[in-house]
Amino acid sequence: MPQLAFGAGTTWFKRDGAVAPLNMELIASVKEALSAGMRHLDLAEMYGTDREVGVALKEAGLPREQLFVTSKLLASLPDVHGKTTSMIDELGVQYLDLLLIHAPFLPEGSKGKLAQVWADMEALVESGRVQGCRTSAWRT
């Protein structure tokens, strides 16, 4: 896993969650990062930027094996498989290298179901749609 990652969230975060026109600035920025040699992309469902990143990946034309794609789930934890499949489809990739639970505060409908969420993530690893799963921003 490359130590440095290009994040497609903070600057382009879509706060209202509405489907908006493609953000051409984000597409150009992702392509520029890839052109400069960045190969790790840091994404998350809450950013709402997967469509733009997918367009940039397609336009950049890099072989998938040269990329390391990380994404994070939170609001969709009750439907890990469905949301992960949707993210993979929007990105236009065959798999995610790393899938994370974004934060320790679980959304409504997930509390008390962390074991099932984790089992669902492991099933995605077993299927080959995800290469690895972990947590993000959790205290140990």
Side-chain angles (χ1 to χ4, degrees):
M1 172 172 62
Q3 291 185 347
L4 294 178
F6 179 84
T10 305
T11 298
W12 299 283
F13 183 83
K14 296 177 183 174
R15 284 168 176 71
D16 60 7
V19 176
L22 286 174
N23 183 328
M24 301 312 286
E25 179 187 358
L26 172 55
I27 293 169
S29 294
V30 172
K31 288 171 48 180
E32 182 66 27
L34 294 170
S35 176
M38 295 295 288
R39 294 297 183 262
H40 184 178
L41 299 174
D42 178 27
L43 315 171
E45 76 167 311
M46 71 185 300
Y47 304 158
T49 57
D50 289 347
R51 287 187 318 139
E52 286 88 349
V53 174
V55 169
L57 288 173
K58 183 176 182 179
E59 290 179 5
L62 292 171
R64 175 62 181 91
E65 59 273 5
Q66 289 185 14
L67 302 170
F68 192 95
V69 182
T70 298
S71 195
K72 299 175 282 299
L73 291 175
L74 188 59
S76 295
L77 286 177
D79 184 20
V80 171
H81 184 271
K83 183 56 182 177
T84 302
T85 298
S86 173
M87 288 189 306
I88 289 170
D89 291 346
E90 284 188 323
L91 293 168
V93 298
Q94 300 78 23
Y95 61 91
L96 296 176
D97 294 283
L98 184 60
L99 180 63
L100 305 171
I101 297 175
H102 203 149
F105 35 89
L106 301 177
E108 194 70 35
S110 296
K111 294 182 169 100
K113 298 180 182 176
L114 186 56
Q116 182 59 53
V117 167
W118 193 258
D120 293 345
M121 291 173 70
E122 288 180 330
L124 286 165
V125 172
E126 290 173 19
S127 75
R129 300 290 281 172
V130 172
Q131 300 299 303
C133 54
R134 303 283 185 275
T135 60
S136 174
W138 291 49
R139 292 183 185 174
T140 56

Coordinates of all heavy atoms in Angstrom, one line a residue, residues 4-60:
L4 N 1.5 7.5 0.7 CA 0.8 8.7 0.5 C -0.4 8.4 -0.4 O -0.4 7.6 -1.3 CB 1.7 9.7 -0.3 CG 2.9 10.2 0.5 CD1 3.7 11.1 -0.4 CD2 2.5 11.0 1.7
A5 N -1.5 9.1 -0.1 CA -2.8 8.9 -0.9 C -3.3 10.3 -1.3 O -3.2 11.3 -0.6 CB -3.8 8.2 0.0
F6 N -4.0 10.3 -2.4 CA -4.8 11.4 -2.8 C -6.2 11.3 -2.3 O -6.9 10.3 -2.7 CB -4.8 11.5 -4.4 CG -5.6 12.7 -4.9 CD1 -5.0 14.0 -5.0 CD2 -6.9 12.6 -5.3 CE1 -5.7 15.1 -5.4 CE2 -7.6 13.7 -5.7 CZ -7.0 14.9 -5.8
G7 N -6.7 12.2 -1.5 CA -8.0 12.1 -1.0 C -9.0 12.9 -1.8 O -8.8 14.1 -2.1
A8 N -10.1 12.3 -2.1 CA -11.2 12.9 -2.9 C -12.3 13.3 -2.0 O -13.5 13.2 -2.4 CB -11.6 12.0 -4.0
G9 N -12.0 13.9 -0.8 CA -13.1 14.2 0.1 C -13.2 15.6 0.5 O -14.1 16.3 0.2
T10 N -12.3 16.0 1.4 CA -12.4 17.3 2.1 C -12.8 18.5 1.2 O -13.7 19.2 1.5 CB -11.1 17.5 2.9 OG1 -10.9 16.4 3.7 CG2 -11.3 18.8 3.8
T11 N -12.0 18.7 0.2 CA -12.3 19.8 -0.7 C -13.5 19.7 -1.5 O -14.3 20.7 -1.7 CB -11.1 20.0 -1.6 OG1 -9.9 20.3 -0.8 CG2 -11.3 21.2 -2.6
W12 N -13.9 18.5 -1.9 CA -15.0 18.3 -2.8 C -16.2 17.6 -2.2 O -17.1 17.2 -2.8 CB -14.5 17.4 -4.0 CG -13.4 18.1 -4.8 CD1 -13.5 19.1 -5.6 CD2 -12.0 17.8 -4.7 NE1 -12.3 19.5 -6.1 CE2 -11.3 18.7 -5.5 CE3 -11.2 16.9 -3.9 CZ2 -10.0 18.7 -5.7 CZ3 -9.9 16.9 -4.1 CH2 -9.3 17.8 -5.0
F13 N -16.1 17.4 -0.9 CA -17.2 16.8 -0.1 C -18.6 17.4 -0.5 O -18.8 18.6 -0.4 CB -16.9 17.0 1.4 CG -17.8 16.4 2.3 CD1 -17.7 15.0 2.7 CD2 -18.9 17.1 2.9 CE1 -18.5 14.4 3.6 CE2 -19.7 16.5 3.8 CZ -19.5 15.1 4.1
K14 N -19.5 16.5 -0.8 CA -20.9 17.0 -1.2 C -21.8 16.9 0.0 O -22.3 15.8 0.3 CB -21.4 16.1 -2.4 CG -20.5 16.3 -3.6 CD -21.0 15.4 -4.7 CE -20.1 15.6 -5.9 NZ -20.4 14.6 -7.0
R15 N -21.9 18.0 0.7 CA -22.6 18.0 2.0 C -24.1 17.6 2.0 O -24.6 17.0 2.9 CB -22.4 19.3 2.7 CG -21.0 19.4 3.3 CD -20.6 20.8 3.7 NE -19.3 20.9 4.3 CZ -18.2 20.8 3.7 NH1 -18.2 20.5 2.4 NH2 -17.0 20.9 4.3
D16 N -24.7 18.0 0.9 CA -26.1 17.7 0.9 C -26.5 16.3 0.4 O -27.6 15.9 0.5 CB -26.9 18.8 0.0 CG -26.4 18.8 -1.4 OD1 -25.6 17.9 -1.8 OD2 -26.8 19.7 -2.2
G17 N -25.6 15.6 -0.1 CA -25.8 14.3 -0.6 C -26.6 14.1 -1.9 O -26.8 13.0 -2.4
A18 N -27.0 15.3 -2.4 CA -27.8 15.2 -3.7 C -26.9 14.9 -4.9 O -25.7 15.3 -4.9 CB -28.4 16.6 -3.9
V19 N -27.5 14.3 -5.9 CA -26.7 14.0 -7.1 C -26.6 15.4 -7.8 O -27.6 16.1 -8.1 CB -27.5 13.0 -8.0 CG1 -26.7 12.8 -9.3 CG2 -27.6 11.7 -7.3
A20 N -25.4 15.8 -8.0 CA -25.1 17.0 -8.7 C -24.4 16.8 -10.0 O -23.9 15.7 -10.3 CB -24.2 17.9 -7.7
P21 N -24.3 17.8 -10.8 CA -23.5 17.7 -12.0 C -22.0 17.2 -11.7 O -21.6 17.5 -10.6 CB -23.5 19.0 -12.7 CG -24.6 19.7 -12.1 CD -24.8 19.2 -10.7
L22 N -21.4 16.6 -12.6 CA -20.0 16.2 -12.4 C -19.1 17.4 -12.1 O -19.2 18.4 -12.7 CB -19.4 15.4 -13.6 CG -19.9 14.0 -13.8 CD1 -19.4 13.5 -15.1 CD2 -19.5 13.1 -12.7
N23 N -18.3 17.2 -11.1 CA -17.4 18.3 -10.7 C -16.1 18.1 -11.5 O -15.2 17.3 -11.3 CB -17.0 18.2 -9.2 CG -16.1 19.3 -8.7 OD1 -15.3 19.8 -9.4 ND2 -16.3 19.6 -7.4
M24 N -16.0 19.0 -12.6 CA -14.9 18.9 -13.5 C -13.5 19.2 -12.8 O -12.5 18.7 -13.2 CB -15.1 19.8 -14.7 CG -16.4 19.4 -15.5 SD -16.6 17.6 -15.8 CE -15.4 17.5 -17.1
E25 N -13.6 20.1 -11.8 CA -12.3 20.4 -11.1 C -11.8 19.2 -10.4 O -10.6 18.9 -10.4 CB -12.6 21.5 -10.1 CG -11.4 21.9 -9.3 CD -11.7 22.9 -8.2 OE1 -12.8 23.3 -8.0 OE2 -10.7 23.2 -7.4
L26 N -12.7 18.4 -9.8 CA -12.2 17.2 -9.1 C -11.7 16.2 -10.1 O -10.6 15.6 -9.9 CB -13.4 16.5 -8.3 CG -13.1 15.2 -7.7 CD1 -11.9 15.1 -6.8 CD2 -14.4 14.7 -7.0
I27 N -12.4 16.0 -11.2 CA -11.9 15.1 -12.3 C -10.5 15.5 -12.7 O -9.6 14.6 -12.8 CB -12.8 15.0 -13.5 CG1 -14.2 14.4 -13.0 CG2 -12.2 14.3 -14.6 CD1 -15.3 14.5 -14.0
A28 N -10.3 16.8 -13.0 CA -9.0 17.2 -13.4 C -7.9 17.0 -12.3 O -6.8 16.7 -12.6 CB -9.1 18.7 -13.8
S29 N -8.3 17.3 -11.0 CA -7.4 17.1 -9.9 C -6.9 15.7 -9.8 O -5.8 15.4 -9.5 CB -8.0 17.6 -8.6 OG -8.2 19.0 -8.7
V30 N -7.9 14.7 -9.9 CA -7.5 13.3 -9.8 C -6.6 12.9 -10.9 O -5.6 12.2 -10.7 CB -8.8 12.4 -9.8 CG1 -8.4 10.9 -9.9 CG2 -9.6 12.7 -8.5
K31 N -6.9 13.4 -12.1 CA -6.0 13.0 -13.2 C -4.6 13.6 -13.1 O -3.6 13.0 -13.4 CB -6.7 13.5 -14.5 CG -7.9 12.7 -15.0 CD -8.7 13.3 -16.1 CE -7.9 13.7 -17.3 NZ -8.8 14.2 -18.4
E32 N -4.6 14.8 -12.5 CA -3.3 15.5 -12.3 C -2.5 14.7 -11.2 O -1.3 14.5 -11.4 CB -3.5 16.9 -11.8 CG -2.2 17.7 -11.6 CD -1.3 17.9 -12.9 OE1 -1.9 17.9 -14.0 OE2 -0.1 18.0 -12.7
A33 N -3.2 14.3 -10.2 CA -2.5 13.5 -9.1 C -2.0 12.2 -9.7 O -0.8 11.8 -9.4 CB -3.5 13.2 -8.0
L34 N -2.7 11.5 -10.5 CA -2.3 10.3 -11.2 C -1.1 10.5 -12.1 O -0.1 9.8 -12.1 CB -3.5 9.6 -11.9 CG -4.6 9.1 -11.0 CD1 -5.8 8.7 -11.9 CD2 -4.1 7.9 -10.1
S35 N -1.2 11.6 -12.8 CA -0.1 12.0 -13.7 C 1.2 12.3 -13.0 O 2.3 12.0 -13.5 CB -0.6 13.2 -14.6 OG 0.5 13.7 -15.4
A36 N 1.0 12.8 -11.8 CA 2.2 13.2 -11.0 C 2.8 11.9 -10.2 O 3.8 12.0 -9.5 CB 1.9 14.2 -9.9
G37 N 2.1 10.8 -10.4 CA 2.6 9.5 -9.8 C 1.9 9.0 -8.6 O 2.2 8.0 -8.1
M38 N 0.9 9.7 -8.2 CA 0.1 9.2 -7.0 C -0.7 8.0 -7.5 O -1.2 8.0 -8.6 CB -1.0 10.3 -6.6 CG -0.4 11.5 -6.0 SD 0.5 11.2 -4.4 CE -0.8 10.9 -3.3
R39 N -0.7 6.9 -6.7 CA -1.3 5.7 -7.1 C -2.3 5.2 -6.0 O -3.0 4.2 -6.2 CB -0.3 4.6 -7.4 CG 0.6 4.9 -8.6 CD -0.3 4.9 -9.8 NE 0.5 5.1 -11.0 CZ 0.6 6.3 -11.6 NH1 0.1 7.4 -11.1 NH2 1.3 6.4 -12.8
H40 N -2.4 5.9 -4.8 CA -3.3 5.5 -3.8 C -4.4 6.5 -3.7 O -4.1 7.7 -3.6 CB -2.5 5.4 -2.4 CG -3.4 5.0 -1.3 ND1 -2.9 4.8 0.0 CD2 -4.7 4.6 -1.2 CE1 -3.8 4.4 0.8 NE2 -4.9 4.3 0.1
L41 N -5.6 6.1 -3.9 CA -6.8 7.0 -3.9 C -7.6 6.7 -2.6 O -7.9 5.6 -2.3 CB -7.7 6.8 -5.1 CG -7.0 7.1 -6.4 CD1 -7.9 6.7 -7.6 CD2 -6.6 8.6 -6.5
D42 N -7.8 7.7 -1.8 CA -8.6 7.6 -0.5 C -10.0 8.2 -0.7 O -10.1 9.4 -0.9 CB -7.8 8.4 0.5 CG -8.5 8.4 1.9 OD1 -9.2 7.4 2.2 OD2 -8.3 9.3 2.7
L43 N -10.9 7.3 -0.7 CA -12.3 7.7 -1.0 C -13.2 7.3 0.2 O -12.8 6.6 1.1 CB -12.8 7.0 -2.2 CG -11.8 7.0 -3.4 CD1 -12.3 6.0 -4.5 CD2 -11.6 8.4 -3.9
A44 N -14.5 7.8 0.1 CA -15.5 7.4 1.1 C -16.9 7.6 0.6 O -17.1 8.6 -0.1 CB -15.3 8.1 2.5
E45 N -17.8 6.8 1.0 CA -19.2 7.0 0.6 C -19.7 8.4 1.0 O -20.4 9.0 0.2 CB -20.1 5.9 1.1 CG -20.5 6.1 2.5 CD -21.6 5.2 3.0 OE1 -22.7 5.2 2.4 OE2 -21.4 4.6 4.1
M46 N -19.3 8.9 2.1 CA -19.9 10.2 2.6 C -19.4 11.4 1.8 O -20.0 12.4 1.8 CB -19.6 10.4 4.1 CG -18.1 10.6 4.4 SD -17.8 10.7 6.2 CE -18.8 12.1 6.7
Y47 N -18.3 11.2 1.0 CA -17.8 12.3 0.2 C -18.6 12.5 -1.0 O -18.7 13.6 -1.5 CB -16.3 12.0 -0.3 CG -15.3 11.8 0.8 CD1 -14.1 11.1 0.6 CD2 -15.5 12.2 2.2 CE1 -13.2 10.9 1.5 CE2 -14.6 11.9 3.1 CZ -13.4 11.3 2.8 OH -12.5 11.0 3.8
G48 N -19.2 11.4 -1.5 CA -20.1 11.5 -2.7 C -19.3 11.8 -4.0 O -19.9 12.4 -4.9
T49 N -18.1 11.4 -4.1 CA -17.2 11.8 -5.2 C -16.8 10.6 -6.1 O -16.0 10.7 -7.0 CB -16.0 12.5 -4.7 OG1 -15.3 11.6 -3.8 CG2 -16.3 13.8 -4.1
D50 N -17.4 9.4 -5.9 CA -17.0 8.3 -6.7 C -17.3 8.4 -8.2 O -16.4 7.9 -9.0 CB -17.8 7.0 -6.2 CG -17.3 6.6 -4.8 OD1 -16.3 7.0 -4.3 OD2 -18.0 5.7 -4.2
R51 N -18.3 9.1 -8.6 CA -18.6 9.3 -10.0 C -17.4 10.0 -10.7 O -16.9 9.6 -11.7 CB -19.9 10.0 -10.3 CG -21.1 9.2 -10.0 CD -22.4 9.9 -10.5 NE -22.4 11.3 -10.1 CZ -22.9 12.3 -10.9 NH1 -23.3 12.1 -12.1 NH2 -22.8 13.6 -10.5
E52 N -17.0 11.1 -10.1 CA -15.9 11.9 -10.6 C -14.6 11.1 -10.7 O -13.9 11.1 -11.6 CB -15.7 13.2 -9.8 CG -16.8 14.2 -10.1 CD -18.0 14.1 -9.1 OE1 -18.1 13.1 -8.4 OE2 -18.8 15.0 -9.1
V53 N -14.3 10.4 -9.6 CA -13.1 9.6 -9.5 C -13.1 8.5 -10.6 O -12.1 8.3 -11.3 CB -12.8 9.0 -8.1 CG1 -11.7 8.1 -8.1 CG2 -12.6 10.1 -7.1
G54 N -14.3 7.9 -10.8 CA -14.5 6.9 -11.9 C -14.2 7.5 -13.2 O -13.5 6.9 -14.1
V55 N -14.7 8.7 -13.5 CA -14.4 9.3 -14.8 C -12.9 9.6 -15.0 O -12.4 9.3 -16.0 CB -15.2 10.7 -14.9 CG1 -14.8 11.5 -16.1 CG2 -16.7 10.4 -15.0
A56 N -12.3 10.1 -13.9 CA -10.9 10.4 -14.0 C -10.1 9.1 -14.2 O -9.1 9.1 -15.0 CB -10.4 11.1 -12.7
L57 N -10.4 8.1 -13.5 CA -9.7 6.8 -13.7 C -9.8 6.3 -15.2 O -8.9 5.9 -15.8 CB -10.2 5.7 -12.8 CG -9.8 5.9 -11.3 CD1 -10.6 4.9 -10.4 CD2 -8.3 5.8 -11.1
K58 N -11.0 6.4 -15.7 CA -11.2 6.0 -17.1 C -10.4 6.8 -18.0 O -9.8 6.3 -18.9 CB -12.7 6.0 -17.4 CG -13.1 5.5 -18.8 CD -14.5 5.5 -19.1 CE -14.8 5.0 -20.5 NZ -16.2 5.0 -20.8
E59 N -10.5 8.1 -17.9 CA -9.7 9.0 -18.8 C -8.2 8.9 -18.6 O -7.5 9.0 -19.6 CB -10.1 10.5 -18.5 CG -11.6 10.7 -19.0 CD -12.0 12.2 -18.8 OE1 -11.2 13.0 -18.3 OE2 -13.2 12.5 -19.0
A60 N -7.8 8.6 -17.4 CA -6.3 8.4 -17.2 C -5.8 7.1 -17.8 O -4.6 7.1 -18.3 CB -6.0 8.4 -15.7

